[in-house]
């Protein structure tokens, strides 16, 4: 049975790095996947101005999603560093949830060093709630059966993995090729070796669940599960 997996991040690149390997895995399995960035992340380059970098980020995010087989959505009217958890934005997230009908929703862990990540997590949770309410709306309500938090080094406070998803070689290769197209991930903005870091994390999480590579997520409720895709 086909599933739909939706990942909602604060900026273009957030879910590409953290949930991208999982999305590539589901896409190769024949499932539907989508990435939503609530801002372009246009203020993240020390040498390129926000207007120019915004165009670059949107092009990079679109290319990444296409390469792994995911839909791509960006709230390009929202500004990096100024994302606010308003009801209007939560309603827009809810509209997307009603439209895409995800079975699984992946969001930021709510405790982060970056306020955009914290607010994106709040918007994802509020959007999920609103999407499930009966109301006057052109689209029917939709309940998301599973809500998970991605593992991000900027969102580490209190994060305890409880779900591990093995990442097969083909999905990892597809993700690695795709993420290499994003300048920040290559370390060209502030020098952090994002690709090396998340590649190493997949190997480490794989060791814990008996696979070569895995992505770790949290439910916020504890426990330990390994999800093998059919």
């Amino acid at each position: 049975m086909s599933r739909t997996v939706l990942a909602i991040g604060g900026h273009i690149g957030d879910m590409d790095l953290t949930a991208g390997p999982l999305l590539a895995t589901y896409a190769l399995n024949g499932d539907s996947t989508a990435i939503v960035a609530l801002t372009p992340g246009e203020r993240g380059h020390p040498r390129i101005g926000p207007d120019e970098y915004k165009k670059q980020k949107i092009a990079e995010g679109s290319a990444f999603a296409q390469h792994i087989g995911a839909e791509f959505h960006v709230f390009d009217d929202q500004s990096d560093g100024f994302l606010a958890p308003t009801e209007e934005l939560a309603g827009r997230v809810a509209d997307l949830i009603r439209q895409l009908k995800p079975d699984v929703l992946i969001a930021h862990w709510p405790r982060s060093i970056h306020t955009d990540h914290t607010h994106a997590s709040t918007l994802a949770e509020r959007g999920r709630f609103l999407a499930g309410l009966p109301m006057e709306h052109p689209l029917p309500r939709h309940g998301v059966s599973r809500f998970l938090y991605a593992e991000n080094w900027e969102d580490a406070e209190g994060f305890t993995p409880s779900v591990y998803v093995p990442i097969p070689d083909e999905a990892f290769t597809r993700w690695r090729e795709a993420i290499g197209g994003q300048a920040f991930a290559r370390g060209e903005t502030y020098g952090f070796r994002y690709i090396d870091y998340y590649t190493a994390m997949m190997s480490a999480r794989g060791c814990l669940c008996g696979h070569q590579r895995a992505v770790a997520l949290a439910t916020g409720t504890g426990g330990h599960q390994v999800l093998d895709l059919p």
Side-chain angles (χ1 to χ4, degrees), residues 31 35 46 55 97 150-151 153-154 173 185 200 205 208 219 224:
D31 296 308
I35 300 173
K55 296 176 184 177
I97 292 172
E151 184 172 28
W153 75 270
E154 294 178 314
T173 298
R205 295 312 190 188
L208 296 177
T219 62
H224 180 114

Side-chain angles (χ1 to χ4, degrees), residues 112-178:
S112 176
I113 63 174
H114 201 314
T115 55
D116 280 357
H117 291 193
T118 300
H119 292 163
S121 183
T122 299
L123 288 164
E125 293 201 48
R126 180 64 176 165
R128 177 201 189 190
F129 174 76
L130 293 174
L133 291 180
M135 62 175 69
E136 290 294 326
H137 197 283
L139 294 172
R141 63 176 173 167
H142 176 74
V144 179
S145 58
R146 190 149 210 198
F147 192 100
L148 298 168
Y149 300 103
E151 184 172 28
N152 186 315
W153 75 270
E154 294 178 314
D155 311 340
E157 182 185 347
F159 182 91
T160 301
S162 52
V163 174
Y164 295 87
V165 180
I167 305 300
D169 290 344
E170 186 178 358
F172 171 76
T173 298
R174 185 172 291 191
W175 169 82
R176 182 62 182 80
E177 291 170 350

Side-chain angles (χ1 to χ4, degrees), residues 53-198:
Y53 195 43
K54 177 179 179 178
K55 296 176 184 177
Q56 178 177 326
K57 289 283 285 184
I58 292 173
E60 290 174 345
S62 178
F64 174 88
Q66 183 176 8
H67 196 94
I68 68 165
E71 285 189 34
F72 174 66
H73 303 266
V74 57
F75 288 18
D76 60 3
D77 60 339
Q78 300 301 304
S79 186
D80 181 10
F82 297 91
L83 184 66
T86 65
E87 281 295 288
E88 187 270 334
L89 274 181
R92 288 172 61 183
V93 172
D95 288 348
L96 262 180
I97 292 172
R98 287 172 181 259
Q99 174 189 331
L100 298 174
K101 298 179 174 60
D103 303 288
V104 180
L105 195 157
I106 301 169
H108 287 283
W109 180 247
R111 291 188 285 281
S112 176
I113 63 174
H114 201 314
T115 55
D116 280 357
H117 291 193
T118 300
H119 292 163
S121 183
T122 299
L123 288 164
E125 293 201 48
R126 180 64 176 165
R128 177 201 189 190
F129 174 76
L130 293 174
L133 291 180
M135 62 175 69
E136 290 294 326
H137 197 283
L139 294 172
R141 63 176 173 167
H142 176 74
V144 179
S145 58
R146 190 149 210 198
F147 192 100
L148 298 168
Y149 300 103
E151 184 172 28
N152 186 315
W153 75 270
E154 294 178 314
D155 311 340
E157 182 185 347
F159 182 91
T160 301
S162 52
V163 174
Y164 295 87
V165 180
I167 305 300
D169 290 344
E170 186 178 358
F172 171 76
T173 298
R174 185 172 291 191
W175 169 82
R176 182 62 182 80
E177 291 170 350
I179 201 65
Q182 299 202 28
F184 89 98
R186 296 192 301 265
E188 294 177 15
T189 54
Y190 293 97
F192 187 81
R193 293 160 50 201
Y194 286 98
I195 296 173
D196 288 345
Y197 178 86
Y198 286 98

